[in-house]
Amino acid sequence: MTTGTRTGAQTPEPHAADTHDLIRVHGARENNLKDVSIEIPKRRLTVFTGVSGSGKSSLVFDTVAAESQRLINETYSAFVQGFMPSVARPDVDVLDGLTTAIIVDQQRLGADPRSTVGTATDTNAMLRILFSRLGRPHIGSAKAFSFNVASVSGAGAITVERGGTTVKERRSFSVTGGMCPRCEGRGSVTDIDLTQLYDDSKSLAEGAITVPGYTGDGWMTRVFSGSGFLDPDKPIRDYTEQELRDFLHHEPTKVKISGINISYEGLIPKVQKSILSKDREAMQPHIRAFVDRAVTFADCPACDGTRLTEAARSSKIGGISIADACRMQISDLAAWVRGLDEPSVAPLLTALRQTLDSFVEIGLGYLSLERPAGTLSGGEAQRVKMIRHLGSSLTDVTYVFDEPSTGLHPHDIQRMNGLLRQLRDKGNTVLVVEHKPEVIAIADHVVDLGPGAGSAGGTVCYEGPLEGLRSAGTVTGRHLDDRAAVKRTVRTPTGKLAVRGASTHNLRDVDVDIPLGVLVVVTGVAGSGKSSLVHGSIPAGENVVSVDQSPIRGSRRSNPATYTGLLEPIRKAFAKANGVKPALFSANSEGACPTCNGAGVIYTDLAMMAGVASTCEDCEGRRFDASVLEYHLGGRDISEVLAMPVTEAEAFFAAGEARVPAAHRILTRLVDVGLGYVSLGQPLTTLSGGERQRLKLATHMGDKGGVYVLDEPTTGLHLADVEQLLGLLDRLVDSGKSVIVVEHHQAVMAHADWIIDLGPGAGHDGGRIVFEGTPADLVAARSTLTGQHLAEYVGA
């Protein structure tokens, strides 16, 4: 580095430590990345953008963040590493200048019924300590206020060796917990409709049990038939009182069935443990449908849904119990805590105030601490995770964000931008994967990946300051200043869906007529009651198709072909053409390569070190047994078909020997949602968030419904992809469907036929209709926050 002179004196050489101001990535090849080499400036805000599937997450999360976390794990002893998940080194030549990475992604928080906003952020822990110190009457330690700790006590004799002699002593112990004994800390109790569990006119051998998974010849039913307690050939309606008790309520006991020792218990406790203990939102659709039919959930009458014992609710600070505090809106709770002045717990109050103020600062003041964590949207979950880091004193940390604007109204995005700048200004490196122009605008450095998606992406199209992106000629640069025009002529509704007295969550007896046969957008600031109105007031039925934000679950064995049901008609077509069983054409069934069991790779576990995955030598990664690959359809074997991109497969199954109308219909829907570049056999684990959302949309487009309810379909979509989504929504409406979209994206608002705007604020400041009408009327009125931002967006 050159040095200058000043007043004759030579400036000192820079310190060696000051030269490490870049994160250098050379030769990154994770997923679809093609030898990507970039230099990311430290202590700056860098935004990574590009079309959905271009490789943003592969570069930021799977390469930079993953290697940082792997290197941190290696600093622990081998003993400790043995208890930690082992992660393989990313496929990259050089990664230099890394700092500790903190990942704030959109993974949903745990869906356990006992997990709440308060427990997920440790705010409940601080409140419990506060009430155990200041609550009157005093009922015990912090455990006495925890709905996850049951009250237990016991007594007995113990043997103690003391001074060479054995002495027997009597000891007793007790733990005072706050868990309501009736609902076991869940806040709700279940009532089961027995007619949905079994058909009493049939015997066990005839398949009397109608619970999902209990087939007539399945293992679950065999446990009941072979237990010795029941006659498998006797109709259940003829059971004696004892037999019915053994069938429904028997305590767990060991029995021997087919020479195997197994635990037998009644049907009701078995169903409660295997199905009802899980969060409803995390269930598979057919199990969720069974639960909806068979079970009614109601607030626990013993604790009034608070999850706590009567003692925990009786201890109060200034007339407020811990149950009252957890039910308050967090912005109100923060004000209450600020009013407490008790020197004996001053450090605790300071920490609690900071955490609660962080909720308000980040735009989540409308939540309550008792809100189940599984009910938060992806954007809300991401902001809840941010709360841990806002007050942190750590600097020189790399924060990695995955579309932090998800689920945010344009008004809230400004606040989020301030928080990202705040983290950067403390001396941290902030890496953001983002599509919204409002967030890209605050970047110090922009990395644009593309030019396309999947195999057509994976290269850096532009790297540098924001000003250069507009003139770079990339897809992002061309669309950065795109602004949809407000629709001047709107469709005429064919009917209306009358909603009367809607009061779900924060809605205040809302009356609204939702027009049918048109594109309706429901909008408003985060927490204003949009989802409560749409999902809580539109009855789910055969005529309603709802596509929400719940994540697609699937292992690396799952792929678009299995998820959409596409593989079923393909397997049958192969079987029919070759005169063999369809099961041969599944890598998860009889057709699997015996060496790798259909995985395509062989894993070698190296204990605390990262395991090694090597391509199976027998099937060469094709996943199928060699004999299966001798069967062809249209000149292709099953592995070649699964390697096809969707667009190629659509043409392949459209005509000729390989014509399969059922498969072609599904493939056409995948093309419609913009997934033409994805291969049929690509593991779901490698798809980006936007790709998964569109895969779910394509699957539901095959459902027979007249009303489509979409929850933020622009999540994870690039500016260029939003245009394609608008075309898809138009096609749905033009085909006679009614489309209701919960959305914040101004392009979708401008394209709507009718807008319903909720607000004016969030939580108890929202829950009201503040505008309903056409987009043009909303822009002209500018009477709401949405109207002001939409007018600014369209340049009105």
Side-chain angles (χ1 to χ4, degrees):
M1 185 178 285
T2 59
T3 56
T5 56
R6 183 183 299 157
T7 62
Q10 192 174 32
T11 56
E13 285 286 336
H15 194 286
D18 296 331
T19 60
H20 300 281
D21 55 357
L22 293 171
I23 297 175
R24 296 180 181 85
V25 182
H26 291 288
R29 292 177 294 275
E30 275 296 305
N31 298 327
N32 67 330
L33 296 180
K34 297 171 181 172
D35 274 321
V36 167
S37 298
I38 61 166
E39 294 185 338
I40 305 166
K42 288 186 184 176
R43 294 174 287 282
R44 296 291 182 271
L45 197 157
T46 301
V47 171
F48 294 79
T49 187
V51 296
S52 181
S54 59
K56 305 180 297 296
S57 295
S58 299
L59 178 59
V60 179
F61 290 94
D62 300 342
T63 304
V64 177
E67 178 65 354
S68 172
Q69 293 202 317
R70 188 186 72 84
L71 292 173
I72 290 168
N73 289 355
E74 284 191 353
T75 64
Y76 298 111
S77 67
F79 173 76
V80 174
Q81 287 183 56
F83 296 96
M84 303 172 77
S86 58
V87 184
R89 184 181 187 277
D91 189 2
V92 59
D93 294 333
V94 178
L95 264 176
D96 189 27
L98 293 175
T99 67
T100 303
I102 295 175
I103 298 174
V104 189
D105 59 17
Q106 288 191 45
Q107 290 293 322
R108 295 294 181 101
L109 293 169
D112 187 277
R114 290 198 184 93
S115 180
T116 65
V117 169
T119 58
T121 57
D122 292 340
T123 315
N124 263 34
M126 290 188 274
L127 269 181
R128 292 198 295 266
I129 298 169
L130 181 69
F131 275 86
S132 70
R133 301 294 188 274
L134 302 183
R136 292 292 176 268
H138 177 76
I139 62 167
S141 70
K143 289 181 180 178
F145 296 93
S146 172
F147 52 75
N148 287 326
V149 178
S151 294
V152 292
S153 60
I158 64 169
T159 303
V160 182
E161 291 205 8
R162 193 178 293 147
T165 60
T166 301
V167 181
K168 283 194 173 183
E169 294 181 358
R170 183 171 177 78
R171 295 275 177 90
S172 63
F173 76 96
S174 68
V175 174
T176 303
M179 178 190 289
C180 169
R182 171 78 187 274
C183 64
E184 296 183 344
R186 288 191 172 91
S188 63
V189 289
T190 56
D191 189 20
I192 299 175
D193 181 0
L194 297 181
T195 62
Q196 297 294 332
L197 298 188
Y198 59 86
D199 180 350
D200 66 357
S201 66
K202 294 180 179 178
S203 66
L204 291 173
E206 293 170 328
I209 301 177
T210 55
V211 178
Y214 289 73
T215 54
D217 57 349
W219 177 253
M220 306 289 270
T221 303
R222 281 175 60 195
V223 172
F224 284 94
S225 302
S227 64
F229 296 111
L230 310 167
D231 181 352
D233 299 312
K234 185 178 181 181
I236 292 176
R237 63 163 60 129
D238 296 335
Y239 279 7
T240 64
E241 195 174 319
Q242 182 60 45
E243 283 177 321
L244 196 59
R245 192 179 301 114
D246 288 339
F247 175 53
L248 294 176
H249 302 288
H250 202 289
E251 292 292 316
T253 184
K254 290 290 181 188
V255 295
K256 184 169 273 192
I257 299 172
S258 302
I260 302 170
N261 286 322
I262 198 161
S263 179
Y264 171 84
E265 63 181 329
L267 182 61
I268 288 177
K270 205 172 188 68
V271 167
Q272 284 175 327
K273 287 177 186 174
S274 63
I275 297 178
L276 302 187
S277 63
K278 295 184 173 69
D279 178 63
R280 181 186 172 282
E281 297 303 315
M283 294 174 181
Q284 292 175 291
H286 70 288
I287 295 178
R288 191 185 307 165
F290 160 74
V291 170
D292 291 342
R293 287 195 314 270
V295 183
T296 54
F297 294 91
D299 281 349
C300 173
C303 66
D304 193 26
T306 62
R307 309 162 182 249
L308 293 161
T309 60
E310 189 176 350
R313 288 177 281 135
S314 68
S315 182
K316 298 184 177 182
I317 302 174
I320 300 291
S321 70
I322 190 168
D324 298 330
C326 289
R327 279 195 164 167
M328 282 185 191
Q329 186 165 303
I330 288 175
S331 55
D332 297 338
L333 179 60
W336 178 74
V337 171
R338 273 196 296 275
L340 298 177
D341 184 18
E342 185 61 50
S344 63
V345 290
L348 177 64
L349 285 172
T350 301
L352 187 56
R353 285 185 197 118
Q354 285 176 347
T355 303
L356 293 173
D357 287 343
S358 293
F359 271 103
V360 178
E361 187 183 349
I362 209 166
L364 293 177
Y366 60 88
L367 296 178
S368 63
L369 294 181
E370 71 169 9
R371 171 89 173 258
T375 65
L376 298 179
S377 69
E380 286 172 333
Q382 185 171 28
R383 283 180 283 156
V384 164
K385 293 175 191 173
M386 277 185 76
I387 286 166
R388 290 178 173 274
H389 310 299
L390 286 179
S392 173
S393 300
L394 288 172
T395 61
D396 261 330
V397 171
T398 299
Y399 286 98
V400 186
F401 291 95
D402 185 9
E403 294 187 42
S405 67
T406 296
L408 290 185
H409 188 271
H411 174 70
D412 300 310
I413 291 177
Q414 295 174 352
R415 181 186 283 167
M416 174 60 72
N417 283 347
L419 295 172
L420 295 174
R421 285 193 184 109
Q422 183 183 324
L423 285 172
R424 175 201 63 192
D425 294 346
K426 283 170 61 178
N428 298 305
T429 305
V430 181
L431 309 182
V432 184
V433 173
E434 189 53 85
H435 295 295
K436 292 278 178 71
E438 300 96 312
V439 182
I440 298 173
I442 66 165
D444 301 310
H445 190 74
V446 179
V447 178
D448 187 18
L449 284 100
S455 58
T459 61
V460 174
C461 300
Y462 173 79
E463 182 185 1
L466 176 65
E467 297 74 41
L469 179 61
R470 286 187 170 88
S471 57
T474 66
V475 175
T476 306
R478 289 197 301 273
H479 288 272
L480 199 58
D481 294 315
D482 278 3
R483 296 294 181 266
V486 169
K487 189 184 281 187
R488 295 298 172 190
T489 56
V490 295
R491 299 178 180 93
T492 305
T494 57
K496 66 180 182 181
L497 185 66
V499 175
R500 297 290 178 265
S503 55
T504 308
H505 299 136
N506 66 330
L507 294 178
R508 304 189 176 189
D509 285 324
V510 168
D511 294 336
V512 64
D513 291 330
I514 302 174
L516 297 177
V518 296
L519 175 59
V520 179
V521 170
V522 180
T523 188
V525 296
S528 59
K530 303 180 298 298
S531 295
S532 300
L533 176 66
V534 172
H535 296 298
S537 305
I538 298 176
E542 291 181 9
N543 200 38
V544 177
V545 176
S546 181
V547 185
D548 58 18
Q549 284 195 1
S550 57
I552 287 178
R553 285 177 170 80
S555 67
R556 68 179 313 281
R557 285 178 176 270
S558 304
N559 53 51
T562 58
Y563 181 79
T564 59
L566 171 65
L567 191 59
E568 195 63 28
I570 291 176
R571 284 165 50 196
K572 287 179 179 175
F574 264 96
K576 187 177 179 182
N578 294 281
V580 292
K581 291 190 296 183
L584 283 175
F585 303 99
S586 170
N588 298 325
S589 187
E590 292 182 28
C593 165
T595 307
C596 63
N597 293 322
V601 292
I602 294 175
Y603 292 96
T604 306
D605 185 12
L606 298 178
M608 81 286 181
M609 298 178 70
V612 176
S614 53
T615 303
C616 174
E617 292 182 1
D618 285 6
C619 68
E620 296 178 342
R622 292 192 182 97
R623 303 174 62 195
F624 291 90
D625 186 57
S627 60
V628 175
L629 300 182
E630 293 175 6
Y631 300 116
H632 290 79
L633 176 69
R636 304 285 185 100
D637 64 42
I638 184 68
S639 69
E640 290 171 334
V641 167
L642 290 176
M644 287 181 182
V646 168
T647 44
E648 184 183 337
E650 185 199 18
F652 179 73
F653 288 109
E657 183 193 342
R659 184 174 178 271
V660 182
H664 185 257
R665 279 194 299 273
I666 297 173
L667 289 163
T668 302
R669 292 198 293 268
L670 288 171
V671 172
D672 279 348
V673 297
L675 292 177
Y677 59 88
V678 174
S679 63
L680 305 187
Q682 184 175 337
L684 285 188
T685 51
T686 64
L687 295 182
S688 69
E691 288 168 337
R692 293 184 190 201
Q693 172 103 346
R694 283 182 285 163
L695 183 62
K696 184 192 285 191
L697 179 58
T699 305
H700 283 289
M701 278 172 63
D703 298 347
K704 292 179 180 176
V707 180
Y708 278 71
V709 179
L710 309 180
D711 194 351
E712 297 188 36
T714 61
T715 300
L717 290 189
H718 186 266
L719 298 162
D721 297 323
V722 172
E723 205 174 309
Q724 186 170 8
L725 175 73
L726 293 175
L728 174 63
L729 297 179
D730 276 340
R731 286 199 297 278
L732 281 172
V733 175
D734 293 340
S735 68
K737 311 288 186 187
S738 300
V739 180
I740 302 167
V741 184
V742 176
E743 190 55 82
H744 293 116
H745 202 294
Q746 294 104 317
V748 183
M749 292 183 210
H751 200 71
D753 297 307
W754 193 257
I755 287 183
I756 298 171
D757 192 11
L758 281 97
H764 57 47
D765 296 325
R768 293 188 289 268
I769 304 287
V770 291
F771 175 86
E772 47 183 322
T774 64
D777 291 341
L778 179 61
V779 169
R782 301 191 194 204
S783 56
T784 68
L785 279 171
T786 305
Q788 292 163 19
H789 283 279
L790 184 58
E792 187 182 328
Y793 172 82
V794 298

